[in-house]
Amino acid sequence: MPVSRSCERRNVASRASSEPVESVVTGPLYTSHVRTAGAAANLGRAMDLQDWVSRAVTAVGRWEDTFGEFGRHPSLEVSEERFAAAFETFSDRLRANYPYFHPSYAGQMLKPPHPAAVAGYLAAMLINPNNHALDGGPATSRMEKETVARLAAMFGFGTHLGHLTTSGTIANLEALYVARELRPGLGVAYGAEAHYTHGRMCHVLGVPGTAVPADAAGRIDLDALDRLLAGGRIGTVVATAGTTGLGAIDPVHEVLAVARRHGVRVHVDAAYGGFFTLLAALGTPGEPGAADRASLDPGPWRAIPECDSVVVDPHKHGLQPYGCGAVLFRDPAVGRLYRHDSPYTYFTSGELHLGEISLECSRAGAAAAALWLTFELLPPTPDGLGRVLAAGRRAALDWSDLLAASGRLDLYQRPELDIVCYFPVAGPPSRPGKPGQPSLASIDEVCARMLADGMNDQDDPVFLSTLTVTADAFARRHPGVAADRPDTRILRSVLMKPESENHVGALHARVEELAGG
Ligand SMILES: Cc1ncc(COP(=O)(O)O)c(C=O)c1O
């Protein structure tokens, strides 16, 4: 198996469809970029995904062999030649992706799953259990209950009721559905920087949703929240532990205090940020006891088990393929709100079927299997998954230092988790050799150009993303920039791959170069 191909893989996106298909299937798309933890610098022994994929197929085949022989129906048969031809087209089309696996991809919240998740998912998918009911997926339903219990323990929940979902959106929908049932007629409040799903799902549920203004760091404004809750029209407030745009952490402990004073419930949307609770266990940043400079103020995280519900997405920082969110409720009695009649299911056992406490019906048992196997190897503990998150956070801190000291770029605000936002300091030249005065219009224009130039560079591509911020939000952080338009795009990088830690210098140099035009 390949050991490291970091050099030849540098331009994987730009080389795209010109390579022979075998190299796509056997090498670059998967194996060599996944390296063992603790590997020196950029080199390390690749986990042999091909071997594990093959073992997954073998293990399921052995189990299938314990049942009687039968012939496959000819309607399902396709010739090897036709399969090979279709697969060649298919794998060629997959090349039209951005290289999410590579540290030069520093854009959105995207990265491939861990090999354990891939092997676990594949093995279970070959059986294709459905975790709706125990007869649809007895083994993977048990795995789901165990992984959900591990998530609950990670947050410090004493009691819980919860399940996996296909996404953070559905997980939040469930939490807001329960909010509506428990506080009928009352609305839901969330920070102005909360994920758009909250406003949207309030609309779906027919619940009034109110956005609370953000403070100067992008967190929910506590005074504004207090005033809103005093009006008596809100039944549940959503605190976001890690906003999607900036990675800002709403002060969950303070939100909780304000909410409880008004008799209001609290739901925590930690879809993106939830696993960072593992870094809160490392101690208070800056204090002598802190075990790592990636450590986080424990205040907001320690308050989560006092809240009513929490959502976390294993398909973001839990090393899982898409299709894996989770919702947890502190009070198991909310299960009654899911009661429904399903005459064709729930017949094998009196034990709780996951479909009985979920709004979704069919759900991939393979998603639970993948998470279960991943947690066996990288548990949701500070020493397990915590090390992965700490590396991304250190990368964000290191890059923010470089950005703050740069003459070409500036830091939008100090990262709280692993999202870094920045912008070019000077506008496009007003005449050759004369940098333009910074204004929102010029920042927007240069950011758009940098994004495109970085992606389209054939020799040394870099993949960023943008965040649109209002003129008001920008001015609160950077007064003195002419507000000649109502908003501007800035650049945003989510450094969620631990490998980013060793790539910050190169990334910074490349982005500075792009800013130079
Ligand atoms: C804070 C937050 N909540 C909810 C979501 C929606 O999650 P999903 O994309 O899994 O539906 C996201 C996605 O980025 C998020 O960051």
Side-chain angles (χ1 to χ4, degrees):
M1 292 311 302
V3 172
S4 170
R5 299 182 184 222
S6 57
C7 297
E8 62 177 273
R9 295 159 59 78
R10 224 166 105 242
N11 301 322
V12 65
S14 54
R15 289 199 320 247
S17 52
S18 56
E19 281 192 10
V21 167
E22 304 87 84
S23 66
V24 179
V25 178
T26 59
L29 263 187
Y30 238 104
T31 321
S32 63
H33 70 279
V34 184
R35 303 193 170 93
T36 45
N42 280 323
L43 295 174
R45 199 161 52 80
M47 284 177 225
D48 195 339
L49 181 63
Q50 273 185 338
D51 182 43
W52 286 108
V53 164
S54 163
R55 288 198 210 193
V57 175
T58 305
V60 176
R62 284 210 186 108
W63 170 73
E64 287 180 349
D65 286 345
T66 64
F67 298 90
E69 266 186 38
F70 68 103
R72 295 277 174 195
H73 195 272
S75 64
L76 299 171
E77 265 171 31
V78 290
S79 72
E80 287 289 300
E81 295 72 40
R82 275 188 61 219
F83 201 156
F87 200 80
E88 183 169 334
T89 307
F90 163 76
S91 48
D92 201 38
R93 289 187 66 162
L94 278 188
R95 288 180 159 264
N97 268 306
Y98 299 113
Y100 311 118
F101 68 91
H102 196 273
S104 65
Y105 183 87
Q108 302 265 39
M109 291 170 195
L110 287 156
K111 64 174 178 181
H114 191 273
V118 176
Y121 199 101
L122 175 68
M125 187 184 60
L126 290 172
I127 301 165
N128 208 18
N130 181 341
N131 274 13
H132 170 65
L134 283 171
D135 54 294
T140 49
S141 289
R142 278 177 204 119
M143 288 181 192
E144 177 163 337
K145 289 178 189 176
E146 289 169 33
T147 51
V148 166
R150 286 185 109 154
L151 290 173
M154 174 180 85
F155 286 117
F157 274 56
T159 55
H160 75 275
L161 183 85
H163 60 89
L164 300 181
T165 62
T166 52
S167 67
T169 297
I170 299 299
N172 276 302
L173 169 67
E174 299 221 7
L176 298 189
Y177 159 73
V178 167
R180 185 192 72 179
E181 297 301 296
L182 290 177
R183 298 292 160 92
L186 294 176
V188 170
Y190 39 81
E193 301 270 336
H195 194 273
Y196 71 80
T197 197
H198 297 289
R200 205 169 186 212
M201 290 306 163
C202 280
H203 185 64
V204 168
L205 291 164
V207 170
T210 306
V212 181
D215 68 11
R219 304 171 194 148
I220 197 166
D221 184 304
L222 292 169
D223 291 335
L225 179 68
D226 197 19
R227 283 194 297 276
L228 176 69
L229 300 193
R233 289 167 184 265
I234 301 294
T236 299
V237 56
V238 178
T240 303
T243 60
T244 316
L246 297 169
I249 306 165
D250 282 348
V252 180
H253 49 318
E254 293 172 273
V255 169
L256 185 68
V258 173
R260 293 298 190 237
R261 213 165 47 236
H262 295 285
V264 167
R265 300 176 69 257
V266 179
H267 165 61
V268 182
D269 180 0
Y272 151 68
F275 286 101
F276 282 98
T277 192
L278 299 171
L279 304 190
L282 299 178
T284 305
E287 284 189 0
D292 191 300
R293 67 194 169 89
S295 65
L296 292 172
D297 173 6
W301 308 98
R302 296 238 169 99
I304 291 178
E306 307 299 317
C307 297
D308 298 284
S309 52
V310 63
V311 156
V312 61
D313 267 1
H315 69 200
K316 292 189 170 63
H317 279 95
L319 307 173
Q320 298 308 294
Y322 283 109
C324 196
V327 61
L328 303 172
F329 297 95
R330 187 163 54 97
D331 179 7
V334 301
R336 74 183 187 282
L337 303 171
Y338 284 92
R339 198 163 290 146
H340 61 283
D341 198 17
S342 178
Y344 20 74
T345 49
Y346 315 142
F347 51 79
T348 47
S349 140
E351 208 187 315
L352 181 72
H353 299 252
L354 289 159
E356 292 180 279
I357 53 157
S358 159
L359 291 184
E360 290 176 273
C361 179
S362 297
R363 246 177 345 91
L371 188 57
W372 187 91
L373 188 55
T374 307
F375 278 178
E376 287 297 295
L377 301 161
L378 291 161
T381 58
D383 287 344
L385 207 45
R387 291 177 57 219
V388 180
L389 278 100
R393 174 149 161 72
R394 285 193 300 266
L397 293 174
D398 289 346
W399 197 8
S400 69
D401 288 343
L402 294 175
L403 288 161
S406 168
R408 287 186 173 175
L409 298 163
D410 203 353
L411 185 64
Y412 182 66
Q413 72 171 44
R414 187 116 183 114
E416 288 195 66
L417 297 175
D418 62 3
I419 298 178
V420 190
C421 291
Y422 46 95
F423 57 95
V425 285
S430 49
R431 54 175 200 273
K434 169 106 177 73
Q437 285 307 304
S439 73
L440 294 189
S442 66
I443 287 170
D444 188 76
E445 185 188 326
V446 179
C447 285
R449 180 194 49 76
M450 289 171 67
L451 180 82
D453 287 355
M455 279 198 296
N456 296 327
D457 191 309
Q458 295 294 302
D459 299 321
D460 194 6
V462 62
F463 304 87
L464 312 172
S465 71
T466 61
L467 173 70
T468 300
V469 297
T470 63
D472 179 47
F474 195 98
R476 289 175 90 170
R477 293 153 175 97
H478 300 277
V481 172
D484 50 358
R485 46 175 289 159
D487 56 26
T488 179
R489 278 168 288 184
I490 58 173
L491 293 163
R492 168 174 169 270
S493 292
V494 185
L495 301 180
M496 69 193 309
K497 292 183 288 280
E499 292 83 5
S500 296
E501 194 176 8
N502 293 329
H503 205 71
V504 163
L507 201 53
H508 180 68
R510 186 71 190 94
V511 177
E512 268 201 328
E513 204 173 71
L514 288 173

